Amino acid sequence: MGLSLQDDGEICINSMQCSSKCCQHDTILGIARCTHKAIENSECSPQTVYGVYYRCPCERGLSCEGDKTILGAITNTNYGICLDVGRSKQ
């Protein structure tokens, strides 16, 4: 009997439960749900808090460019914007 991954919209406790690999909640007391990874020009977060994101990481090929300071990590405001770094360097 294998483990099945949760689909987008289903309640989760950790990102590893989600087929998208992103379990996200809006507030610390909010219910976390699986959701898709962030698309280009969307808010993102490179960090999780115990496996749950406030903003999902970027889709493959995109980079989360934003506040990477230690203060941003402590206050959980280290959100960025998903950018196609390869395209922007051309």
Side-chain angles (χ1 to χ4, degrees):
M1 188 165 105
L3 289 173
S4 63
L5 296 174
Q6 307 286 70
D7 292 325
D8 285 0
E10 292 189 78
I11 295 173
C12 53
I13 297 171
N14 187 293
S15 290
M16 297 308 291
Q17 293 179 302
C18 302
S19 58
S20 66
K21 299 293 183 235
C22 182
C23 182
Q24 176 181 302
H25 57 76
D26 295 327
T27 65
I28 194 69
L29 299 175
I31 294 173
R33 295 186 182 273
C34 294
T35 189
H36 57 83
K37 292 204 173 167
I39 61 172
E40 192 169 6
N41 298 317
S42 294
E43 275 192 321
C44 55
S45 177
Q47 304 280 332
T48 68
V49 179
Y50 301 109
V52 178
Y53 290 93
Y54 281 96
R55 300 287 184 273
C56 285
C58 302
E59 291 180 333
R60 178 181 281 187
L62 300 176
S63 177
C64 189
E65 299 298 316
D67 182 1
K68 293 184 178 158
T69 64
I70 192 73
L71 180 62
I74 291 168
T75 61
N76 202 33
T77 58
N78 57 342
Y79 303 140
I81 301 293
C82 289
L83 299 174
D84 186 340
V85 177
R87 187 182 318 156
S88 64
K89 288 182 180 177
Q90 294 175 351

